[in-house]
Amino acid sequence: MVSKLDLYRIFSVVGRNESFSGAAKELFMTQPAISQSIMQLERELDTRLFNRTPKGVTLTNEGSLLLEYVNSAINLIGIGEEKIAEFKNLTTGELRIGVGDTISKYFLLPQLEAFRARYPNIKLKIENGTTDELIAFLKSGEVDIVVCNLPVADPTLNVMPTMDIHDTFVYGDKYRKLLARPVGFQELAKLPLIFLEPSSNSRKYVEEHFLAKGVRISPEFELGSHDLVVEFARMNMGIACVTREFTKDYLESGALHEVQLTEQIPHRSIGVCSLKSVPLSPASTRFWELLVGE
Amino acid sequence: MVSKLDLYRIFSVVGRNESFSGAAKELFMTQPAISQSIMQLERELDTRLFNRTPKGVTLTNEGSLLLEYVNSAINLIGIGEEKIAEFKNLTTGELRIGVGDTISKYFLLPQLEAFRARYPNIKLKIENGTTDELIAFLKSGEVDIVVCNLPVADPTLNVMPTMDIHDTFVYGDKYRKLLARPVGFQELAKLPLIFLEPSSNSRKYVEEHFLAKGVRISPEFELGSHDLVVEFARMNMGIACVTREFTKDYLESGALHEVQLTEQIPHRSIGVCSLKSVPLSPASTRFWELLVGE
DNA sequence: GATGGGTATAAGGGATGGTTATATGGTAAG
DNA sequence: CTTACCATATAACCATCCCTTATACCCATC
């Protein structure tokens, strides 16, 4: 195998020009440089590639055979480089994000629509799961970016908060009189409560906060999705623990009402995370910028 | 376009090994050299090709896409080099020779058979013509080697004599008595003579030799091929000027008889010629060696 | 916490590829 | 026939660049 592939780039140009000095001009080199390069290639292949004539050079049979292969090879590399450029343009590529269910519907969906409108050729791949599962996806390389509830305390991740969310309790008309005045945690815990499943990040957060205040909750209902929780509240099945931002429509329309707490639950944030150790792909970078408002 | 194709050879090996240090071993280089080469390639493409991990590197999407193209390109060049090697092996190639008609039948044919038996994959291309025409073919590049009657006085050619031939006169039974004793040129010229056409090298040679001795010939018959000349002699149409070596069978079988001349015609040689300025192809070189007995 | 395997970085030195200068050879024009 | 011009070949020199050595750093494992 010839050691220096660069000789083939020169060979290709000389073959096209059928002239050493012509190739030299095209390559911004001098004629002796070309002459030596071709001689080196011929020496390494132990084959004469060009017949020298007074008015330039002509390919030998061997040379013109080889030229076919070399030109194809160089073209291939050129095509490869073009494909790479497409990645940079975001005219091709893939965006793989991990996101919690609730977030995906209320927060991420509009962003994804915007991204897709702007870069229609980027393939989208969305993984769902709990925060812990998503971080695992990130570390195993299955996704490039995770959007989840903070806090995420992991020194190997870049974490950027993008939106504050507030855990709150809501109820339907049936509980209106009962909850006309502010209530404390203790009081609230005695009412019929509607929560997400214990494994969910939101549930854990609120539950732990109550516990820190010495209040243990035992919900009447434990449901699989935020939507269900909201619907149960509307059907007056109890007092529901929801994210205020994701219940905005119901609250504004008066279909649901917010419990006045005597003590605030500290807000959480939605954050976007990526691995510190792995640079983001072009598509991921762009999406990250979109999320954090650049 | 990336300037240094050599970077792609390194990239390919790194891609296969998924390790800088592994590739370094394979390429008999040091790890920093690989690291710098890849960094240079990434800089020129402005694209990250590998994700660095504690236990080696992994290809990015862009990198693995590019690798496909690069590997194909390198394979192509490898195949091209193999084809070139086939030329050197004489398992492919072409042998183009120019040769006079007479020579081709009696002298060259056995050599060509031997060559073809030894190198069955070499394509043969034979051009016929007069010596002058053949030399012109040689200079215009239509043939690589010419086998013709000497002398050929051309400083731009390599000429190597390979076989002596003798011009002689033969006759059939009818002239037996008449030519039982040696005859001189003058005497011979008065008999009915059978010659090749005036344009043929052999005819010119003998004719000029006679002329130098003050004898002008005027043949009864001027024929297009040596074979015809021989046949006319056998049919007792006259005394034929032939090449002794190409009439051996007839002379030995007694079908024809050789004129005893009082004065010898100096022998000529068959020679093989090639251009000094153009190196011979592998096939031509081998055939040349065969002809001159190496 | 130490060890080992991986990559990154810095700096120096030597090989190599390109340059300039010149030779050579052939062709075309005077 | 000779000159001039166009090609490539050759030689010598020099600067660049690539590879090496040395070292740092990170992470995992023992």
Side-chain angles (χ1 to χ4, degrees), chain B residues 56 66 83 99 132 164 197 260 274 278 280-281 288 294:
Chain B
L66 183 62
K83 297 281 179 190
V99 57
D132 291 344
D164 289 341
E197 294 171 324
Q260 306 297 313
S274 69
V278 179
L280 287 176
S281 72
W288 176 286
E294 202 186 0

Side-chain angles (χ1 to χ4, degrees), chain B residues 193-212:
Chain B
L193 294 177
I194 310 167
F195 265 80
L196 282 168
E197 294 171 324
S199 67
S200 88
N201 207 325
S202 307
R203 160 77 180 267
K204 274 192 276 189
Y205 178 77
V206 174
E207 192 164 15
E208 277 167 21
H209 185 70
F210 270 56
L211 218 48

Side-chain angles (χ1 to χ4, degrees), chain A residues 47-78:
Chain A
T47 298
R48 176 137 314 224
L49 299 172
F50 294 99
N51 293 315
R52 277 67 164 177
T53 79
K55 51 183 40 169
V57 295
T58 62
L59 284 158
T60 61
N61 287 337
E62 292 90 331
S64 88
L65 178 72
L66 183 63
L67 185 62
E68 300 286 322
Y69 288 89
V70 169
N71 280 340
S72 303
I74 291 179
N75 280 337
L76 266 185
I77 289 184

Side-chain angles (χ1 to χ4, degrees), chain A residues 262-274:
Chain A
T262 55
E263 192 178 356
Q264 288 303 313
I265 303 173
H267 72 80
R268 294 179 293 150
S269 294
I270 291 177
V272 47
C273 316
S274 69

